[in-house]
Amino acid sequence: MSQNPPRPGLGLFTRNLPSSSLSQSTTDPNSPSVTTPAEQRDDAKRNFLKAMRPLPTQHYWNVWFDRPSQQTSANPEEYHSNLEQLGSTIESVQDFWRYANNTPVDQIRMKESLYLFKVGFKPIWEDRRNVLGGSWTFRVPKQNGPDVWTRVQLLAIGEKLQSVLEEGDQICGVGLSVRFNSHLISIWHRDSSKKTSIDNILACVLEELPRELAPKPDNYFYKKHSDHAGFKAPPELQAVIDSQKARERAAEEKAGQRVEAVAGEAPEIREVPPSS
């Protein structure tokens, strides 16, 4: 009886494979060494994510941490010394989530603050890029704070906040400060004379936050940095601040004059008695 010819190509399945692979088909299917289809899919997904190119953010961002001073001094230099830059610069969406997923907001202590600011900006009122700016501050219950904070940061790095500003204005960064029973979440922009920017930042936040997270009207406010009691402008920038205030006063006076002129042009209305 003739023998069956050897099956060509059989060696392709066993060549250069470790001996454990040859016996895997005979092992217990419940053994941890057996790869299931679900595990294979998970491995493929992980390998795919590793191979993906990072999705860059339009701007680079730095994370800052502020520990409160034990002294009551409002010296800007002392505040500056309490600031600490954390980690490396955020340059992509992946970088952001790596930072966000490893930063336990609920463990930040009373009066400590965390900031996400564009590279080149520091969370200091007197910083040369901030002196003419201001910020919206939202008081959020602590149980909602981490969620609102994440959403506001995404509005910043995703350029949604920047897109609603007037031309010539710029988002500087966002911050979170811990208080007794709430989180103060702030949004800083560069030019407090831009009224449309101020209104649009608020409208954007209220529109983008889910209804259950949106702050109540009495829990948010806007303030210029220069209006804070502790603000101390550097001498070399005081003239710039004074010039902005002079322009704002002139604009207010001009607006008031227009209102008076319109009121003066209103026709006099006389009551005509009914005819008998």
Side-chain angles (χ1 to χ4, degrees):
M1 183 174 64
S2 61
Q3 295 181 347
N4 292 329
R7 295 169 60 187
L10 184 61
L12 294 176
F13 293 95
T14 60
R15 186 179 302 156
N16 297 327
L17 291 178
S19 58
S20 60
S21 299
L22 301 179
S23 60
Q24 193 174 51
S25 60
T26 61
T27 58
D28 182 356
N30 295 321
S31 171
S33 63
V34 176
T35 303
T36 66
E39 291 173 333
Q40 292 175 351
R41 287 194 297 270
D42 290 342
D43 286 341
K45 184 185 296 184
R46 281 192 291 269
N47 292 333
F48 174 74
L49 292 175
K50 288 180 181 178
M52 284 181 60
R53 295 178 59 186
L55 183 63
T57 52
Q58 185 169 333
H59 292 89
Y60 290 171
W61 301 79
N62 285 329
V63 180
W64 297 88
F65 183 69
D66 170 39
R67 291 182 176 86
S69 173
Q70 300 298 324
Q71 302 177 4
T72 58
S73 171
N75 189 338
E77 294 182 0
E78 182 180 333
Y79 175 78
H80 186 282
S81 66
N82 292 331
L83 279 176
E84 176 185 358
Q85 185 177 332
L86 301 181
S88 56
T89 299
I90 293 175
E91 302 179 359
S92 67
V93 175
Q94 288 87 339
D95 288 343
F96 169 77
W97 284 114
R98 189 178 300 112
Y99 135 75
N101 291 334
N102 290 280
T103 305
V105 174
D106 56 351
Q107 294 183 22
I108 300 177
R109 293 179 294 184
M110 177 77 70
K111 293 190 176 181
E112 292 180 340
S113 301
L114 188 68
Y115 298 94
L116 180 68
F117 266 59
K118 288 178 180 175
V119 169
F121 291 83
K122 291 183 178 180
I124 301 174
W125 300 327
E126 296 85 1
D127 184 81
R128 63 183 181 85
R129 292 188 172 186
N130 295 333
V131 289
L132 298 181
S135 65
W136 276 104
T137 299
F138 302 85
R139 184 179 295 275
V140 179
K142 273 191 174 180
Q143 64 269 24
N144 295 340
D147 195 357
V148 175
W149 172 234
T150 298
R151 292 171 184 269
V152 168
Q153 289 180 104
L154 289 173
L155 291 177
I157 70 165
E159 304 299 328
K160 179 67 175 180
L161 290 171
Q162 181 64 43
S163 70
V164 303
L165 300 187
E166 284 188 62
E167 184 177 356
D169 200 0
Q170 189 176 9
I171 290 293
C172 307
V174 294
L176 176 142
S177 299
V178 177
R179 294 299 183 265
F180 178 69
N181 59 356
S182 62
H183 287 156
L184 302 181
I185 296 176
S186 57
I187 301 173
W188 297 36
H189 72 122
R190 193 168 180 177
D191 192 345
S192 62
S193 69
K194 305 285 190 181
K195 183 67 167 58
T196 300
S197 289
I198 296 172
D199 294 341
N200 287 354
I201 291 173
L202 176 61
C204 177
V205 171
L206 297 181
E207 179 180 346
E208 294 295 329
L209 287 180
R211 180 176 299 179
E212 64 272 15
L213 296 178
K216 297 179 181 178
D218 56 346
N219 282 341
Y220 51 80
F221 62 90
Y222 181 85
K223 197 168 189 176
K224 297 179 183 179
H225 300 323
S226 58
D227 288 343
H228 286 274
F231 179 86
K232 293 183 179 180
E236 66 273 15
L237 296 177
Q238 186 61 55
V240 178
I241 298 172
D242 293 341
S243 176
Q244 184 197 51
K245 290 182 177 180
R247 290 196 303 270
E248 291 176 353
R249 285 195 298 269
E252 291 174 358
E253 292 174 359
K254 189 174 182 179
Q257 292 172 357
R258 285 200 299 267
V259 171
E260 292 176 358
V262 171
E265 295 173 359
E268 181 180 358
I269 300 177
R270 296 182 179 180
E271 184 177 352
V272 179
S275 56
S276 56

